């Protein structure tokens, strides 16, 4: 156990977001976000649909260009135009709601493509790393399959293996289980739990309150483009301080609103 | 048994199914009648003399392999240019650099709007004068003239294919640190081409027929393609129009399989996507 990969310890910050704002046209979607994530921390972001959770995540690796504010990633100021963003992105893995596996390539190719072209690893080295990560998500035996031959849960686990194959120092998850059939959710969450236990720094947008409470070190509750509450997972979910957080949690956890309490997404699934 | 569904009202004595069968029968009868009229009114001895004359067909037989080979060669050369230039134009059309978009749009509108025959003539006669080059091979003219025209059509097809690739594919590639260009080459274009394979096959089919326009250029016999051979046969061979029919059959030998391939690919990709 190395010192800096243990949980929750406030060692060096991996991500520091300061006064981040993002507008789409006239509409301001992020209204000044300040969040810091330290090495080894698992931060779960929760909040109603349209509150800006995905946009926040996408601003971290610059899939969206912030309108103002700064994002510091692994010591680099990613919003600085001089920074090589492709370089920075190799250190940040991202897992999408819709998996987004490259549908024309095998599972193994999905995991080796960027290793070879971006990290310039040899084929043998890339395949070794890819297979190790596929093993980690329990899918080494499907290395030669095409994505379309896999279930949603398997595809998402491959997507995680693909991201891990780049040896990222931070993993971003945007509702990784929202597009899955309920019986497949557990496998993916299991993989994510293992990853967290192994000391990976993670930001997870999720509607899985049980996961947020058990695996998350911190929970950030967002509403209307702002961080409403940011604290220990047990506190934000167990004893929220803010009225808005309480209302949201009630709505998500109340079985009379949603038949499936723990996995209820307070929102219709969307990209 | 309470309701008799087969006889709903007094006026409609026939059931819908029986009526459909009758109407189908009538259509067959009409079809046979048309065929019979055509067969009986045609002057068969004249047809045998000038249109399907086996002796005349034999006269051009020795020139066919060369012509067939040339037609295929010109088609492939034109398609190679059309595909590369068309892909480039598609990328320009989707570029964030506005002048690229203007150039590509103008190109496409221009070459879609003028007859291919004019382009063939222009390339064969105007380009050598303007640029001081001389073509030693018809293959080059086919590649430039017909390639330029088909590039306009292919670029529209490829562009549609690129736009059909889900945005998530690009985002996944970029999030792995792949550059814009690498993403295009390794993720977007392979998927785009797979969806546009059927229309591209069709484009080859159209190009095969368009190589007939090359007959207009003065050629030496070594460069004759099918249509040129067929036209020459008109004036020389004793069998009149027979040559044209033989040539037509040669085109079909190429185009029918291509059409079948296109349809099969269509069915295959149509299932997924
Ligand atoms: N590319 C875009 N162009 C315009 N508006 C956008 C764009 N992306 C997001 N938005 C808007 O920004 C707001 C926040 O979107 P975002 O996807 O970040 O919400 P979210 O919290 O992730 O919601 P959900 O839980 O439904 O995924 C929404 O109102 C959305 O319509
Ligand atoms: Mg979202």
């Amino acid at each position: 156990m190395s010192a800096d990969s243990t949980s929750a310890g406030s060692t060096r910050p991996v991500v520091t977001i300061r006064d981040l704002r993002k507008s789409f046209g006239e509409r301001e979607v992020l209204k000044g976000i300040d969040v810091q994530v330290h090495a080894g921390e698992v931060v779960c972001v929760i909040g109603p649909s349209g509150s800006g959770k995905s946009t926040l995540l996408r601003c971290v690796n610059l899939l969206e260009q912030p309108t103002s504010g700064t994002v510091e990633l692994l010591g680099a100021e990613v919003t600085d135009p001089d920074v090589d963003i492709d370089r920075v992105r190799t250190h940040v893995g991202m897992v999408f709601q819709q998996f987004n596996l490259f549908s024309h390539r095998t599972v193994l190719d999905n995991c080796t493509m960027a290793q070879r072209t971006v990290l310039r690893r040899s084929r043998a080295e890339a395949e070794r790393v890819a297979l190790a990560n596929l093993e980690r998500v329990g899918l080494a035996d499907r290395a030669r399959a095409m994505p379309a031959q896999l279930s949603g849960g398997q595809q998402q686990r491959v997507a995680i293996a693909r991201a891990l194959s780049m040896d990222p120092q931070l993993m971003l998850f945007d509702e990784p289980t929202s597009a899955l059939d309920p019986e497949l959710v557990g496998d993916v969450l299991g993989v994510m739990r293992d990853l967290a236990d192994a000391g990976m720094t993670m930001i997870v947008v999720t509607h899985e309150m049980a996961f947020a409470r058990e695996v998350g070190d911190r929970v950030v509750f967002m509403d209307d483009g702002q961080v409403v509450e940011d604290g220990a997972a047990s506190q934000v979910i167990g004893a929220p301080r803010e009225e808005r957080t309480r209302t949201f949690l009630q709505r998500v956890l109340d079985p009379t609103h949603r038949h499936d309490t723990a996995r209820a997404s307070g929102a219709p699934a969307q990209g | 048994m309470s309701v008799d569904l087969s006889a709903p009202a007094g006026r409609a004595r026939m059931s819908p199914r029986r009526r459909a069968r009758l109407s189908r029968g009538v259509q067959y009868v009409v079809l046979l009648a048309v065929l019979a009229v055509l067969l009986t009114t045609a002057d068969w001895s004249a047809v045998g003399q000038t249109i399907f004359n086996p002796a005349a067909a034999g006269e051009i037989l020795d020139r066919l392999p060369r012509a067939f080979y040339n037609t295929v060669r010109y088609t492939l050369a034109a398609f190679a240019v059309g595909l590369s230039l068309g892909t480039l134009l598609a990328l320009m059309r989707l570029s964030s650099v506005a002048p690229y978009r203007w150039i590509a749009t103008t190109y496409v509108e221009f070459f879609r709007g003028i007859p291919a025959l004019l382009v063939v003539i222009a390339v064969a006669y105007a380009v050598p004068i303007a640029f001081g080059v001389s073509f030693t091979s018809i293959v080059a003219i086919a590649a430039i003239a017909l390639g330029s025209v088909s590039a306009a059509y292919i670029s529209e097809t490829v562009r549609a294919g690129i736009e059909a690739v889900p945005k998530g594919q690009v985002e996944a590639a970029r999030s792995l640190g792949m550059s814009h260009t690498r993403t295009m080459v390794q993720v977007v274009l392979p998927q785009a081409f797979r969806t546009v394979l059927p229309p591209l096959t069709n484009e080859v089919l159209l190009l095969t027929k368009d190589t007939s326009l090359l007959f207009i250029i003065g050629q030496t016999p070594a460069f004759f393609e099918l249509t040129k051979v067929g036209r020459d046969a008109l004036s020389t061979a004793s069998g009149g129009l027979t040559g044209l029919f033989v040539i037509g059959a040669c085109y079909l030998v190429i185009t029918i399989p291509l059409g079948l391939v296109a349809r099969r690919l269509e069915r295959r990709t149509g299932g997924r996507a």
Side-chain angles (χ1 to χ4, degrees):
Chain A
M1 258 175 252
S2 64
D4 70 347
S5 68
T6 46
S7 66
S10 36
T11 46
R12 72 202 158 89
V14 174
V15 189
T16 307
I17 298 165
R18 289 195 198 86
D19 195 28
L20 184 70
R21 289 168 189 277
K22 173 68 186 176
S23 301
F24 289 110
E26 291 288 283
R27 196 167 137 58
E28 191 167 46
V29 172
L30 296 179
K31 304 173 177 174
I33 304 279
D34 293 278
V35 172
Q36 195 165 54
V37 180
H38 294 270
E41 248 185 331
V42 176
V43 174
C44 291
V45 181
I46 62 172
S49 178
S51 55
K53 308 180 295 292
S54 297
T55 307
L56 173 63
L57 216 55
R58 293 160 59 83
C59 280
V60 170
N61 69 352
L62 252 54
L63 283 182
E64 298 289 357
Q65 187 69 41
T67 309
S68 71
T70 60
V71 176
E72 206 179 300
L73 227 157
L74 309 160
E77 170 63 61
V78 294
T79 33
D80 179 343
D82 289 337
V83 162
D84 178 1
I85 185 62
D86 288 338
R87 193 78 229 153
V88 176
R89 281 188 184 133
T90 62
H91 301 297
V92 182
M94 184 149 188
V95 175
F96 302 85
Q97 185 174 345
Q98 300 298 337
F99 331 134
N100 296 349
L101 292 183
F102 304 133
S103 55
H104 62 306
R105 305 295 287 272
T106 64
V107 164
L108 188 63
D109 288 347
N110 264 272
C111 298
T112 55
M113 186 192 286
Q115 287 191 70
R116 299 199 57 202
T117 60
V118 181
L119 302 181
R120 307 232 160 263
R121 288 178 182 158
S122 69
R123 176 191 288 275
E125 167 75 353
E127 290 188 352
R128 193 187 56 73
V129 173
L131 283 170
N133 283 300
L134 286 170
E135 184 76 55
R136 195 169 176 182
V137 301
L139 287 169
D141 57 324
R142 303 310 307 273
R144 302 283 163 196
M146 297 302 283
Q149 298 170 314
L150 304 181
S151 74
Q154 290 174 326
Q155 288 191 48
Q156 192 60 298
R157 281 146 64 199
V158 171
I160 294 173
R162 175 175 70 178
L164 290 177
S165 295
M166 301 296 285
D167 298 326
Q169 302 186 44
L170 169 69
M171 286 284 287
L172 308 174
F173 292 86
D174 191 359
E175 298 195 39
T177 58
S178 293
L180 297 178
D181 290 340
E183 75 269 22
L184 303 175
V185 168
D187 291 342
V188 172
L189 291 182
V191 166
M192 290 169 64
R193 184 188 295 259
D194 292 345
L195 205 53
D197 290 344
M200 179 59 77
T201 312
M202 295 160 54
I203 305 179
V204 184
V205 173
T206 187
H207 290 290
E208 304 283 343
M209 291 307 146
F211 177 87
R213 195 204 309 249
E214 289 163 31
V215 181
D217 297 307
R218 261 167 58 210
V219 166
V220 171
F221 171 66
M222 281 181 68
D223 192 10
D224 193 26
Q226 289 166 319
V227 171
V228 175
E229 197 160 348
D230 178 352
S234 53
Q235 177 261 306
V236 176
I237 294 178
R241 288 199 194 92
E242 300 290 328
E243 182 56 39
R244 276 199 277 177
T245 317
R246 220 166 311 163
T247 318
F248 171 75
L249 286 170
Q250 253 162 27
R251 203 151 38 82
V252 173
L253 297 170
D254 186 347
T256 59
H257 277 82
R258 293 282 156 181
H259 16 268
D260 189 358
T261 54
R263 353 213 101 112
S265 57
Q270 54 159 255
Chain B
M1 277 258 276
S2 53
V3 195
D4 186 359
L5 288 168
S6 64
R11 214 183 318 163
R13 241 165 278 150
M14 231 183 287
S15 77
R17 214 181 313 171
R18 206 173 309 163
R19 210 174 324 149
R21 192 156 5 136
L22 180 69
S23 124
R24 216 165 337 162
V26 168
Q27 288 176 48
Y28 277 119
V29 169
V30 169
L31 214 62
L32 284 174
V34 169
L35 212 63
V37 167
L38 285 178
L39 289 176
T40 51
T41 55
D43 179 350
W44 285 109
S45 70
V47 167
Q49 265 300 308
T50 64
I51 304 185
F52 292 117
N53 186 338
E59 279 171 41
I60 62 166
L61 223 52
D62 60 325
R63 270 175 287 163
L64 278 187
R66 182 83 213 173
F68 194 90
Y69 167 70
N70 279 338
T71 292
V72 171
R73 215 154 53 117
Y74 300 155
T75 303
L76 292 181
F79 185 65
V81 171
L83 187 61
S84 342
L85 187 57
T87 304
L88 180 69
L89 286 165
L91 292 173
M92 286 171 73
R93 197 88 192 249
L94 295 168
S95 164
S96 52
V97 183
Y100 283 167
R101 293 199 301 273
W102 301 333
I103 293 170
T105 310
T106 310
Y107 181 99
V108 170
E109 294 309 327
F110 180 80
F111 279 99
R112 278 202 309 194
I114 56 173
L117 186 59
L118 290 193
V119 182
V120 170
I121 295 171
V123 170
Y125 300 113
V127 168
I129 294 169
F131 297 98
V133 292
S134 66
F135 293 111
T136 53
S137 167
I138 307 288
V139 176
I141 297 176
I144 296 172
L146 299 178
S148 306
V149 174
S150 79
Y153 292 95
I154 289 177
S155 79
E156 290 293 280
T157 305
V158 172
R159 179 170 67 112
I162 291 174
E163 284 174 335
V165 176
K167 224 173 108 234
Q169 297 283 312
V170 174
E171 293 186 342
R174 299 307 305 272
S175 77
L176 289 164
M178 291 169 69
S179 67
H180 175 81
T181 310
R182 278 219 175 283
T183 302
M184 214 37 164
V185 171
Q186 288 198 284
V187 176
V188 178
L189 285 180
Q191 295 189 47
F193 278 121
R194 217 163 54 164
T195 56
V196 300
L197 217 50
L200 282 184
T201 314
N202 255 324
E203 188 60 36
V204 180
L205 192 155
L206 295 175
L207 264 176
T208 306
K209 295 190 294 174
D210 280 354
T211 54
S212 65
L213 300 173
L214 295 166
F215 85 89
I216 201 82
I217 312 169
Q219 314 170 10
T220 53
F223 286 114
F224 283 4
E225 40 69 55
L226 288 169
T227 300
K228 179 76 174 163
V229 168
R231 266 180 67 93
D232 287 357
L234 276 186
S235 48
T236 57
S238 48
L241 294 165
T242 305
L244 284 189
F245 280 86
V246 175
I247 296 304
C250 288
Y251 278 110
L252 290 177
V253 166
I254 304 174
T255 52
I256 288 178
L258 278 176
L260 289 177
V261 167
R263 223 167 325 150
R264 261 191 60 183
L265 289 171
E266 219 159 82
R267 224 171 318 148
R268 214 192 61 194
T269 50
R272 279 183 272 133

